[in-house]
Amino acid sequence: MNTHTRSCRGLVAAFALASLTLHAQVPQIINYQGRVAVGTVNFEGSGLFKFALVDAAGTTTYWSNDSTSIAGSEPTAAVTRAVVKGVYSVLLGDTTLPNMTAVPASVFNNADVRLRVWFNDGTNGSQLLSPDQRIVSVGYAMTAGSAQTVADGAITSAKLASGLTLGGTTTGTFSGNGAGLTGVPVTLADGSVTSVKLASGLTLGGTTTGTFSGNGAGLTGVPATLADGSVTSVKLASGLTLGGTTTGTFSGPLTGNVTGNVSGSAASFTGSMAGNVTGTQGATVVASVGGVTAANVATGANLANAATNLNTASAIVRRDASGNFSGGTITGTFSGNGAGLTGVPFTLADGSVTSVKLASGLTLGGTTTGTFSGPLTGNVTGNVSGSAASFTGSLAGNVTGTQGATVVANVGGVTAANVATGANLANAATNLNTASAIVRRDASGNFSGGTITGTLAGNATSATTATTATSATTATTAGSATNFTGSLAGNVTGTQGATVVATVGGVTAANVATGANLANAATDLNTANAIVKRDAGGSFSAGSITSNNYFGGFKAVGGGSALNLFSDASTLRAALAIPDGPGQYSNAGTLGDVVLTCTAGRVFLQSGAGDPAISIETDNDVVIGKNLGLPATNSAGTAGVITQGGSRLIHTFGNGNFFAGSSYGSAGNLTMTGATNIGIGSVTLASNTSGTENVGIGYLAMAVNQTGSFNTAIGQVALFKNIGGMENIAVGGGRSTKTWLAAATPPLDPKR
């Protein structure tokens, strides 16, 4: 099986004519299998395929799947086939498939037949896969079908054995001895009895028709009738006088008048001619040509002969050898390069000048409509929508003044002065008994006042009027009361002389008292069960602090003290400092920093049980005890990259690529589209663009390769100058040493 690699605008396809099998009855079907990939990934799903059998030049179509291909062109309809891991198969010519016609055996009467394939993945469109693949001997076995049938007339008499017994009814022409034949009807075909079969002296009865030969002297009643055209010129005597009208072709001297059309030729004639040519035989005159007078024809011929490419008045234009000519004013529609034209009137179509065509700083005259952006200088008449950085002129309406000195005149029909007065009164509202102030309830809905006039509801039950009463048990209206009788209800209970606070804001008086005591006992010291109270510097001491989020600054003080941050989802948003000793800090850090400094021991980063993920040893070596997880390398180089000295040391940019090396320059790059490349060494594969499946090991190995694929270069500067070469293997070192171990184009492996 031959395997081929093809690429076409993002599609890579490999296919093979796998055993072009012709079955027992030689059906017009060819078994075809291939592989197709999009980019470097095997295609998976339903693909649209089109097939054609063409000649070597690809300009003649012998067959296509829907019979629409002409001169090697793409067929109209496609055949849908399932593709699994890039592999698909199809029976070419299987008419049970939609859009598939039979392959005629006559296709392989041609010496060189090639298969042309188009593929559509549903995204990149239908694309021709090249090159066309030649069909070799197996396909020509289709003509073996002719060996299973006997063509009409193929068995000659020489093929028949003697003494054959023919059964049934046999038709045709037979030769040989028919003496043993019986039941043969003796029927004479019309005209089968020739004159040689007739005996002499026959007596013919009735009417006998036909042609007779022999001595007819004894015949009587024979009509003497001349057949039309039977009298030839040799039968005519000379000097005949022809009466009436005689037609035909005559030769020789003819005397007399001739009426009608005469064809042939005459040495001379007399009389005058009429029509386009007039005059006599010796003085002909051309009167007109095609309905145009001779004078006009002559004038036109003279003008045509005098045609010139120069700008000559009243002359016909004739192009020079380069197709050019000169002229004065030319009116009409022109196409082509008009760079050398001057004085051309230029008319702009409505709406043809876009914003990008306008120069900056334009002065617009008249009335201009539309949408504008950018600085606009001058007066604008009409409605303007959008936004402006600044404006000139004065405002009118609720707001007056200029842009730099706006004045609010009124709000909702109320003067600005009244609005300001009302706003000031509203902002000064209070629950206290303040003269001329607006009443504002406190948080409990209460307020104090002087004399309140109105209808009151509450514990003054039935008093009609109590202006100075000292006690009012049932007053309906009470201006003021010094004392009251009865019990209170609600948050405060009891009588006037024995009030009891029951609850405050829904919290029992006991809980309020406990909370107040705890709040009063709050301290910045590490006191058990005490509420934390920051000191004058905003700090406090504590034992272990547990939280999901940490804000601010944290420190552990005292020899051997530690600040433990334990949480399943802890986030540290602070500067964290670990002391070297009692009260000492190497670096307190800034907000957002995590500073781990310990000169007397090691620093561990650990989550959960087991060995620490990262440890910083006393010699500052970093030991990684777990897997190191990196994301995919992005095109900005800000993720998935291990750097050294600010340069990329290891990265995996692209699909299936791996690069390592940065002493004199990073391996690979962050722009390539090529896949499954390996580059180890400084500047190795640094210029690669679309090259695929290359392996470069060594300083500057394949350093300038761009599109070359399937190459292997091992050693310093190996394949350094290769740019687009394919399937090379080079092993060696040094700037001038190359050892070639393989041909440039070996057969491809099927997995490609």
Side-chain angles (χ1 to χ4, degrees):
M1 181 193 305
N2 293 327
T3 307
H4 308 272
T5 298
R6 300 167 153 201
S7 62
C8 182
R9 292 184 303 189
L11 298 179
V12 177
F15 67 92
L17 295 175
S19 65
L20 297 174
T21 306
L22 296 174
H23 305 289
Q25 298 303 317
V26 196
Q28 309 305 300
I29 295 176
I30 300 175
N31 185 20
Y32 163 67
Q33 184 182 62
R35 184 172 73 89
V36 64
V38 177
T40 58
V41 179
N42 287 333
F43 181 75
E44 188 83 17
S46 294
L48 300 176
F49 296 87
K50 299 177 182 179
F51 307 95
L53 297 176
V54 299
D55 63 358
T59 57
T60 300
T61 300
Y62 300 131
W63 169 88
S64 65
N65 61 279
D66 65 350
S67 300
T68 62
S69 174
I70 299 174
S73 65
E74 181 178 357
T76 301
V79 178
T80 302
R81 302 304 298 161
V83 183
V84 179
K85 296 182 179 179
V87 179
Y88 68 97
S89 62
V90 63
L91 295 178
L92 300 178
D94 184 358
T95 57
T96 63
L97 298 177
N99 302 322
M100 181 70 76
T101 61
V103 179
S106 59
V107 168
F108 298 100
N109 291 334
N110 301 284
D112 191 340
V113 178
R114 298 178 183 246
L115 177 62
R116 176 169 289 183
V117 180
W118 292 262
F119 173 67
N120 187 344
D121 64 350
T123 300
N124 295 289
S126 182
Q127 301 188 34
L128 174 64
L129 307 181
S130 60
D132 300 336
Q133 299 301 305
R134 186 174 183 179
I135 298 178
V136 292
S137 59
V138 176
Y140 288 90
M142 294 178 70
T143 58
S146 60
Q148 299 183 7
T149 59
V150 179
D152 294 344
I155 300 178
T156 62
S157 58
K159 302 295 184 182
L160 297 175
S162 60
L164 288 175
T165 300
L166 303 176
T169 301
T170 305
T171 60
T173 303
F174 300 89
S175 63
N177 189 350
L181 296 175
T182 59
V184 178
V186 181
T187 302
L188 295 175
D190 294 343
S192 62
V193 178
T194 62
S195 58
V196 297
K197 301 295 184 180
L198 296 176
S200 61
L202 288 175
T203 301
L204 302 176
T207 301
T208 303
T209 61
T211 303
F212 300 89
S213 63
N215 189 350
L219 295 176
T220 60
V222 177
T225 302
L226 293 175
D228 293 342
S230 62
V231 178
T232 61
S233 58
V234 297
K235 301 297 185 181
L236 297 175
S238 61
L240 289 175
T241 300
L242 303 176
T245 302
T246 304
T247 60
T249 302
F250 300 88
S251 63
L254 187 62
T255 303
N257 295 324
V258 178
T259 302
N261 295 324
V262 178
S263 63
S265 61
S268 62
F269 66 91
T270 61
S272 297
M273 294 180 290
N276 291 342
V277 180
T278 61
T280 62
Q281 181 177 6
T284 59
V285 177
V286 176
S288 64
V289 178
V292 180
T293 64
N296 286 342
V297 170
T299 300
N302 291 332
L303 287 172
N305 289 325
T308 176
N309 63 295
L310 303 177
N311 184 9
T312 302
S314 303
I316 295 178
V317 175
R318 179 182 181 183
R319 299 179 185 273
D320 62 14
S322 301
N324 302 322
F325 64 88
S326 301
T329 301
I330 301 174
T331 303
T333 302
F334 299 88
S335 62
N337 188 349
L341 297 177
T342 60
V344 179
F346 187 69
T347 302
L348 293 175
D350 293 344
S352 62
V353 179
T354 60
S355 57
V356 297
K357 303 296 185 182
L358 296 177
S360 60
L362 289 176
T363 299
L364 304 177
T367 300
T368 304
T369 61
T371 302
F372 299 87
S373 62
L376 186 63
T377 302
N379 295 325
V380 177
T381 302
N383 296 324
V384 178
S385 62
S387 59
S390 62
F391 66 91
T392 60
S394 298
L395 300 171
N398 290 341
V399 180
T400 62
T402 62
Q403 180 179 3
T406 58
V407 176
V408 175
N410 58 72
V411 178
V414 180
T415 64
N418 287 341
V419 171
T421 300
N424 290 333
L425 286 172
N427 288 326
T430 177
N431 63 296
L432 302 177
N433 184 8
T434 302
S436 301
I438 295 176
V439 175
R440 179 183 180 184
R441 298 178 186 274
D442 62 15
S444 301
N446 303 320
F447 63 89
S448 299
T451 300
I452 301 174
T453 301
T455 301
L456 303 178
N459 290 329
T461 307
S462 60
T464 302
T465 301
T467 303
T468 58
T470 56
S471 177
T473 303
T474 60
T476 302
T477 301
S480 64
T482 303
N483 300 306
F484 67 90
T485 60
S487 297
L488 300 173
N491 292 340
V492 179
T493 62
T495 62
Q496 181 178 3
T499 58
V500 178
V501 175
T503 61
V504 177
V507 179
T508 65
N511 286 343
V512 170
T514 301
N517 291 332
L518 286 172
N520 289 325
T523 177
D524 61 283
L525 302 177
N526 185 8
T527 302
N529 299 320
I531 293 177
V532 174
K533 178 182 180 181
R534 298 180 185 272
D535 61 16
S539 303
F540 64 89
S541 299
S544 297
I545 301 174
T546 301
S547 175
N548 287 339
N549 295 280
Y550 298 96
F551 296 86
F554 295 88
K555 63 182 179 180
V557 298
S561 296
L563 176 60
N564 296 322
L565 306 176
F566 294 106
S567 174
D568 292 337
S570 295
T571 300
L572 180 64
R573 296 183 176 93
L576 174 65
I578 307 298
D580 293 335
Q584 299 180 12
Y585 301 88
S586 296
N587 188 347
T590 59
L591 183 62
D593 294 335
V594 176
V595 181
L596 303 178
T597 304
C598 185
T599 59
R602 295 177 293 173
V603 177
F604 297 98
L605 296 180
Q606 180 175 343
S607 175
D611 295 334
I614 299 177
S615 65
I616 303 175
E617 304 297 317
T618 56
D619 57 0
N620 285 329
D621 286 345
V622 177
V623 178
I624 300 176
K626 302 293 183 179
N627 292 332
L628 179 63
L630 293 176
T633 303
N634 61 19
S635 60
T638 57
V641 179
I642 297 177
T643 63
Q644 181 184 56
S647 298
R648 294 189 303 274
L649 178 65
I650 298 175
H651 69 96
T652 59
F653 180 76
N655 185 7
N657 296 318
F658 175 81
F659 301 101
S662 68
S663 297
Y664 297 101
S666 301
N669 56 63
L670 302 180
T671 59
M672 70 175 66
T673 59
T676 60
N677 296 288
I678 298 176
I680 301 176
S682 296
V683 202
T684 299
L685 284 171
S687 301
N688 191 62
T689 57
S690 59
T692 301
E693 296 188 31
N694 296 298
V695 176
I697 301 176
Y699 171 61
L700 290 175
M702 298 184 69
V704 298
N705 185 80
Q706 296 179 6
T707 59
S709 299
F710 314 118
N711 298 295
T712 300
I714 301 175
Q716 181 179 356
V717 202
L719 283 179
F720 172 77
K721 294 185 177 180
N722 186 72
I723 296 177
M726 310 283 283
E727 302 178 2
N728 298 299
I729 299 177
V731 178
R735 293 184 178 273
S736 60
T737 303
K738 293 183 180 179
T739 303
W740 300 91
L741 301 181
T745 55
L748 297 177
D749 188 85
K751 67 185 179 181
R752 296 181 183 167

